[in-house]
Amino acid sequence: MKCLITILTVFCIALVMVAGCTTRVEPDTTPETTAPTATPTVLPDLRPQPTDVVPLYQQVSIQISKNTVATDPWISVVFAGGGGQSYVVSMQATVIRSDGGIETEIAQSPGIQTTLMFAGTTRDDRAIVNVTYTDGMTYTVKDELVPFQNINP
């Protein structure tokens, strides 16, 4: 009888061991880590686009200039008036710098010599000026490249 109990015990232990070995092992699903890839630097779009055709009675003059001091290159956008200045509600200027910076300023009800100042670069920058009129229309009146001209050619 002792022999039968020993055989049954060994048989049960063997069954437990075999049962544990027959379970399916799942593969490791840990995602494989990859080295980060460098994202390409997106250069700013410095190509001026065509401007809108403003009705004659709403035309105004905008002057854009850049200083030539390399330690402090700034861009000025000046509202110079015109036949349509009484119809102007706002002037919005955006400067896209060659270093990728974008800056926007708005002048509400600009008068003659209203000036918006922007930080520039010692390379070419782009200036876009939109004017909104009393009839609700907004026109792009200037879109131009503003080059940095070194005083020592």
Side-chain angles (χ1 to χ4, degrees):
M1 184 71 172
K2 284 185 174 181
C3 186
L4 184 61
I5 293 177
T6 307
I7 293 176
L8 283 175
T9 305
V10 171
F11 182 71
C12 287
I13 292 174
L15 282 176
V16 170
M17 291 179 72
V18 171
C21 293
T22 60
T23 58
R24 196 172 139 177
V25 177
E26 294 293 323
D28 186 18
T29 58
T30 307
E32 187 176 311
T33 56
T34 59
T37 57
T39 56
T41 304
V42 178
L43 297 176
D45 186 8
L46 296 178
R47 291 173 292 157
Q49 301 297 313
T51 57
D52 298 326
V53 177
V54 180
L56 287 175
Y57 69 94
Q58 290 181 321
Q59 290 185 350
V60 292
S61 178
I62 308 290
Q63 298 168 346
I64 300 173
S65 61
K66 190 177 203 179
N67 73 342
T68 56
V69 180
T71 58
D72 183 27
W74 47 258
I75 297 169
S76 68
V77 177
V78 179
F79 183 82
Q85 73 185 35
S86 61
Y87 299 105
V88 175
V89 173
S90 67
M91 171 180 71
Q92 174 183 323
T94 301
V95 169
I96 303 171
R97 296 191 309 261
S98 57
D99 64 4
I102 298 174
E103 195 176 341
T104 300
E105 290 191 29
I106 298 174
Q108 298 294 332
S109 301
I112 294 176
Q113 296 302 312
T114 297
T115 304
L116 300 176
M117 298 294 292
F118 298 91
T121 66
T122 55
R123 296 183 301 253
D124 293 345
D125 299 320
R126 178 181 172 196
I128 305 164
V129 181
N130 296 308
V131 175
T132 301
Y133 293 91
T134 54
D135 63 0
M137 295 298 293
T138 300
Y139 297 99
T140 300
V141 296
K142 286 272 191 177
D143 188 349
E144 61 186 51
L145 200 60
V146 187
F148 180 81
Q149 297 186 0
N150 196 341
I151 54 174
N152 297 323

